[in-house]
Amino acid sequence: MTEDARATTVLLVGAMMVRLALTGAYAKYVRTGMGGVLLAAGILLVCLGLVGVARALGFGPKTGDTRGHDHAHGDRAGWLLLGPVLALLLVTPPALGSFGVGRSAAVDVSSGGRTFDPLPAGRTMPMTLLEFDDRAADHGGASFGATPVRLTGFVTPANDPTGFRIARYQIACCAADAVAAVVHVTGTTGNPPVRDQWVTLTGTFQRSADGVPELRATSFTEVPAPHDPYE
Amino acid sequence: MSRLPGVPTPASSPEAPPAADAAAPGRRPRGAGLPLVTVLIVAAVLLRPVLTGLLGHPAIANWATVFVAITIQALPFLVLGVAVSATIAAFVPPGLIARLLPKRPALAVPAAAVAGAALPGCECGSVPVAARLVSIGVTPAAAFAFLLSAPAINPVVLVSTAVAFPGRPAMVVARFVASLAASVAMGLLWIVLGRDDLITPQRSHRTEDGPRLTVFLATAQHDFLQAGGFLVIGAGTAATLQTLVPRRIVDSVAGTGPLSLLALGVLAVVVALCSEADAFVAAGLKQFSLTARLAFLVVGPMVDVKLFALQAGTFGTRFAWRFSLATFAVAVTCAGLVGWWLL
């Protein structure tokens, strides 16, 4: 790579990271806590790229490293960094969908063998799918009582005789380590929503035989994908 | 930039530039890079409808998401590693680190392995740092011990392991002990069996005697592009394997016994998780014994497809094959022994 190509590539990668961090689009790929780190690293790269571009254009002292020959391998690999830049610039891969639900490892329910306090009666409790599954694994879901809960997830295909399933991924670091929490929804009438459609459901916990916790839904609405698609 | 012949001896490192490289104003016309970048971008824009159509396939969309996710997640750590590497190149007097380490390689290896605890981050960041250490004259065995231990025993990783395994502090201790033991064992093994001619000579900046800021910037740019390019290859490989091979396949392996150690070791290689996140995945592999899950945690930060690409790009493919296979065997053995002892 010549000096200006190198500087431009560094600049583009940095700009991509800054853009991801500022628009919030990074939440599709990595955990939300990483926004600041991405922004900082992106700014550093932008500065590094700008200095390099300035030098390639003839400002400031030369790095002494301006020629593109004599880089047998290694340097040439730098071109590949334009791959993710272009992918994000052009098409923005979506957040993980139902494709991986049946393929990922099962979610770690009842991690640490927690015992949950009973839910307060008399109001609807919003809750993550992971908490729903965890509570379901704790003493057969005793902590739910009769309290209705509200869940948000995307529709994932399954071969249940009744109802449909929703899922949501937990990620620890990035989408590569995602594991899905799944809930079986019953009690709805009409056709189930299409695969990968996000829905918000209200309903009560039901004991189930097959190990997938069940929600008897009293209402459900289709919603747009949330800003942070993971839990 | 010059490529330097001698890896091992400090004397041969910094100032041995091929003179021709310095003088002539270049064979390729300057400015050829910028148009090339522009052409690439224009071509990609024209191909946009095709790409968008491809993302309609769930498997391809899954691949693209995992690919981008691994790259994005690793880039900040790579920037950190590159910054450390460039700082060493520009601001640390040549030979200082080599002098700080014990003279005898057999003592330098454990010292370097323990020093790995000081680099918070995951495995992508430690490759440029280890390469820089080799280029400034640290004995390769010590640099490799650092390379292997840093992503596994730094405080951030240990804390996330403790969070992922609540009420099981033994898991954190076992991870630390087994990872450190495997790193030291690999360093010592390199002293006995390693051949320095397997390592691609590490470039070192011939502007080492120029203004320090210039050295810093040029090294940072070079190291970032080199490691970043191979990170992209590794991320693509990991995304392909994750999309083609369902993780559920490990469910078919028995949960205990030596085979389960191997199975989870191979899984760690294939899925190429960040070492700060792998403990959470290991916690979920409940059908496996704690020792097998320890193997997952010890192998992952030392050998995986992403790391292999980075090592191959930095030290050469011939090195990476031998080194990765040996590391895998040593890591699984250490995990087995430590698990049998502590878990």
Side-chain angles (χ1 to χ4, degrees):
Chain A
M1 292 176 98
T2 52
E3 181 175 14
D4 48 357
R6 290 212 305 266
T8 316
T9 307
V10 172
L11 181 61
L12 282 173
V13 174
M16 167 195 82
M17 290 166 73
V18 170
R19 179 167 172 260
L20 278 176
L22 291 182
T23 60
Y26 73 94
K28 289 188 178 111
Y29 312 113
V30 295
R31 74 184 147 84
T32 44
M34 275 187 76
V37 182
L38 272 178
L39 186 63
I43 289 173
L44 285 178
L45 289 179
V46 167
C47 295
L48 184 62
L50 283 178
V51 171
V53 168
R55 291 207 161 146
L57 292 176
F59 302 103
K62 284 283 158 209
T63 57
D65 196 26
T66 52
R67 287 151 305 283
H69 60 87
D70 191 37
H71 296 301
H73 72 283
D75 227 355
R76 214 182 290 162
W79 288 111
L80 293 169
L81 274 170
L82 291 175
V85 173
L86 291 177
L88 282 164
L89 219 56
L90 296 176
V91 287
T92 318
L96 290 180
S98 59
F99 174 79
V101 169
R103 304 162 67 87
S104 77
V107 74
D108 176 28
V109 290
S110 66
S111 167
R114 274 165 77 185
T115 304
F116 288 86
D117 293 331
L119 291 175
R123 61 197 179 100
T124 303
M125 295 296 291
M127 151 176 318
T128 63
L129 265 66
L130 178 65
E131 183 181 346
F132 188 85
D133 285 5
D134 278 347
R135 283 182 180 271
D138 167 31
H139 295 94
S143 70
F144 283 105
T147 306
V149 296
R150 187 163 64 243
L151 303 175
T152 299
F154 58 86
V155 177
T156 185
N159 296 321
D160 299 312
T162 58
F164 57 94
R165 290 185 184 196
I166 61 169
R168 197 151 177 180
Y169 289 101
Q170 332 292 317
I171 63 175
C173 199
C174 75
D177 60 59
V179 285
V182 182
V183 171
H184 181 194
V185 180
T186 57
T188 59
T189 52
N191 286 330
V194 295
R195 173 178 179 165
D196 285 320
Q197 170 66 49
W198 284 82
V199 290
T200 293
L201 299 135
T202 307
T204 50
F205 169 75
Q206 291 272 303
R207 282 169 187 264
S208 70
D210 63 353
V212 179
E214 191 175 321
L215 181 83
R216 177 159 287 273
T218 50
S219 75
F220 84 88
T221 47
E222 301 190 354
V223 295
H227 166 68
D228 178 6
Y230 308 110
E231 288 179 344
Chain B
M1 175 150 344
S2 59
R3 295 170 132 249
L4 293 168
V7 174
T9 55
S12 74
S13 326
E15 308 102 36
D21 196 26
R27 288 169 226 161
R28 189 183 299 185
R30 273 199 44 220
L34 207 52
L36 204 49
V37 173
T38 317
V39 166
L40 264 177
I41 291 176
V42 170
V45 170
L46 293 177
L47 284 173
R48 180 176 181 161
V50 181
L51 293 175
T52 314
L54 278 177
L55 282 186
H57 299 275
I60 294 176
N62 190 78
W63 181 90
T65 306
V66 173
F67 167 65
V68 169
I70 293 179
T71 313
I72 298 295
Q73 177 273 127
L75 279 175
F77 295 109
L78 194 59
V79 169
L80 174 70
V82 163
V84 172
S85 160
T87 305
I88 294 174
F91 300 110
V92 177
L96 176 68
I97 293 182
R99 275 203 303 280
L100 286 179
L101 284 170
K103 281 278 168 294
R104 293 178 52 196
L107 295 177
V109 164
V114 172
L119 184 72
C122 69
E123 56 266 33
C124 317
S126 55
V127 174
V129 179
R132 180 62 47 200
L133 291 178
V134 173
S135 86
I136 62 167
V138 170
T139 169
F144 295 150
F146 174 88
L147 167 77
L148 296 177
S149 78
I153 67 166
N154 72 67
V156 181
V157 167
L158 293 179
V159 166
S160 79
T161 309
V163 172
F165 288 91
R168 286 220 182 89
M171 200 66 188
V172 183
V173 178
R175 180 173 201 179
F176 179 84
V177 172
S179 300
L180 195 60
S183 312
V184 172
M186 275 308 291
L188 298 177
L189 199 63
W190 182 265
I191 293 177
V192 179
L193 295 176
R195 301 204 324 264
D196 289 347
D197 63 296
L198 281 176
I199 313 172
T200 305
Q202 293 305 302
R203 325 132 191 272
S204 177
H205 256 274
R206 62 178 188 72
T207 44
E208 302 248 353
D209 45 354
R212 288 184 170 180
L213 191 61
T214 308
V215 177
F216 179 86
L217 293 173
T219 311
Q221 199 187 57
H222 171 265
D223 282 9
F224 177 76
L225 286 172
Q226 186 190 24
F230 285 97
L231 167 69
V232 170
I233 297 179
T237 312
T240 307
L241 288 168
Q242 279 214 15
T243 305
L244 292 181
V245 186
R247 227 187 279 172
R248 284 260 159 101
I249 209 167
V250 299
D251 291 356
S252 58
V253 180
T256 53
L259 191 62
S260 69
L261 254 76
L262 279 180
L264 285 200
V266 170
L267 181 70
V269 173
V270 168
V271 297
L273 297 179
C274 165
S275 66
E276 291 181 8
D278 56 2
F280 296 95
V281 172
L285 296 166
K286 281 194 179 307
Q287 69 274 35
F288 288 95
S289 68
L290 279 176
T291 305
R293 287 189 266 173
L294 179 64
F296 182 82
L297 296 181
V298 176
V299 170
M302 298 188 175
V303 197
D304 67 40
V305 290
K306 174 181 67 177
L307 206 46
F308 177 83
L310 275 168
Q311 289 176 359
T314 310
F315 299 109
T317 311
R318 290 190 322 140
F319 165 84
W321 275 115
R322 291 169 170 82
F323 190 71
S324 293
L325 286 173
T327 308
F328 182 85
V330 168
V332 170
T333 310
C334 285
L337 291 175
V338 172
W340 169 71
W341 173 40
L342 285 175
L343 294 176

